[in-house]
Amino acid sequence: MDADLQNTEQIRPPANEGKHDIRTVSLSALQHYAFCPRQCALIHNEQAWAENFLTAQGKALHERVDSGEPETRRGIRFERSVHVAAEKLGLSGILDMVEHDIRTGRLKPVEYKRGKPKPEPFDEIQLCAQAMCLEEMTGQTVGEGALWYMQTRHRVPVAFSDGLRAQTLEVIRKVRELLDSGTTPPPEYGKRCKACSLVEICQPQLLERDKSKGYVAGLFGDF
């Protein structure tokens, strides 16, 4: 598996002549978009970033996971910090871990998260995109993966169903449209804002109450 995952030049399909290159989207942008399109634009278009306790805790978790050496236990090879690049999907990124079943050759992406399972499929979409990158690079089907949550210390299996794949492709399309547009959506204040490290940069409550644009449009809309 090492050669399949690391030597991507051998498995990427040749680019079609006359075809314009599409912008490569980071895997992390998919989760940022699923959480909040404005957050995605602030991070990936405006290069805005800020740390809070939650992001610092998540960063420390990923550093511990990524720093581990590859190992084999009970016929499973655990590869950490796996770099992926899928030209057709236009995605690239680093996977926390890929489990390689030595006997069957099956691959399973595993993503580590700081918190706990969410009601919305933010994490599942990111994990499914990881699987689709592995599929494009290796030519094999990746049927399932797993999410490990630090807060609950529980591993959640994720099946990559047709529905989840379709949802993931739709998010990829929307993220690319957003990033290509170069625009930042207006704020929509909600519960998620309390956990966002960019809340001071975004100022969702302040901007949401700002009626100046509507006032100006009302004054000069007829001219």
Side-chain angles (χ1 to χ4, degrees):
M1 184 196 68
D2 297 357
D4 286 341
L5 293 179
Q6 294 176 5
N7 192 3
T8 58
E9 293 301 327
Q10 295 183 5
I11 52 183
R12 288 181 184 173
N16 296 328
E17 292 186 5
K19 180 179 178 180
H20 295 290
D21 292 334
I22 60 174
R23 175 174 179 173
T24 300
V25 173
S26 168
L27 284 166
S28 62
L30 304 183
Q31 191 194 37
H32 292 148
Y33 182 91
F35 177 76
C36 173
R38 179 173 171 82
Q39 183 199 69
C40 180
L42 286 171
I43 294 173
H44 298 278
N45 271 349
E46 300 189 20
Q47 306 301 310
W49 182 251
E51 290 278 10
N52 64 7
F53 173 75
L54 299 179
T55 58
Q57 198 175 50
K59 181 179 179 181
L61 170 64
H62 283 88
E63 287 178 349
R64 289 200 301 271
V65 174
D66 297 343
S67 63
E69 294 295 325
E71 58 181 315
T72 301
R73 297 195 307 268
R74 298 180 180 179
I76 304 296
R77 178 72 172 174
F78 300 91
E79 297 284 348
R80 305 172 191 272
S81 297
V82 177
H83 292 249
V84 294
E87 185 175 313
K88 290 181 180 179
L89 287 170
L91 295 176
S92 67
I94 304 175
L95 281 54
D96 286 341
M97 180 182 291
V98 175
E99 296 179 358
H100 175 211
D101 189 314
I102 297 175
R103 183 178 63 84
T104 65
R106 292 178 180 173
L107 304 177
K108 178 185 292 187
V110 180
E111 176 73 11
Y112 285 73
K113 296 296 182 184
R114 180 208 61 81
K116 59 184 179 180
K118 308 172 181 63
E120 300 86 357
F122 304 150
D123 300 335
E124 287 82 356
I125 287 172
Q126 184 184 17
L127 188 67
C128 185
Q130 294 179 3
M132 294 167 74
C133 286
L134 290 173
E135 289 177 336
E136 182 176 325
M137 293 175 65
T138 65
Q140 67 168 276
T141 300
V142 180
E144 62 178 13
L147 295 163
W148 189 90
Y149 291 94
M150 186 177 73
Q151 188 170 335
T152 60
R153 304 195 67 82
H154 184 62
R155 177 172 167 135
V156 179
V158 177
F160 302 127
S161 64
D162 291 342
L164 180 57
R165 289 172 181 271
Q167 194 172 11
T168 301
L169 288 172
E170 179 65 9
V171 171
I172 294 172
R173 183 188 66 79
K174 289 182 177 179
V175 170
R176 179 164 289 107
E177 285 184 354
L178 174 65
L179 299 185
D180 286 344
S181 73
T183 61
T184 300
E188 293 183 10
Y189 183 73
K191 292 181 179 179
R192 62 190 174 187
C193 297
K194 296 179 180 179
C196 181
S197 65
L198 299 184
V199 65
E200 294 300 323
I201 298 173
C202 177
Q203 296 287 318
Q205 289 177 296
L206 177 63
L207 294 177
E208 196 172 55
R209 291 195 296 264
D210 184 4
K211 307 299 182 182
S212 59
K213 288 185 178 180
Y215 176 74
V216 172
L219 285 176
F220 302 104
D222 295 332
F223 290 91

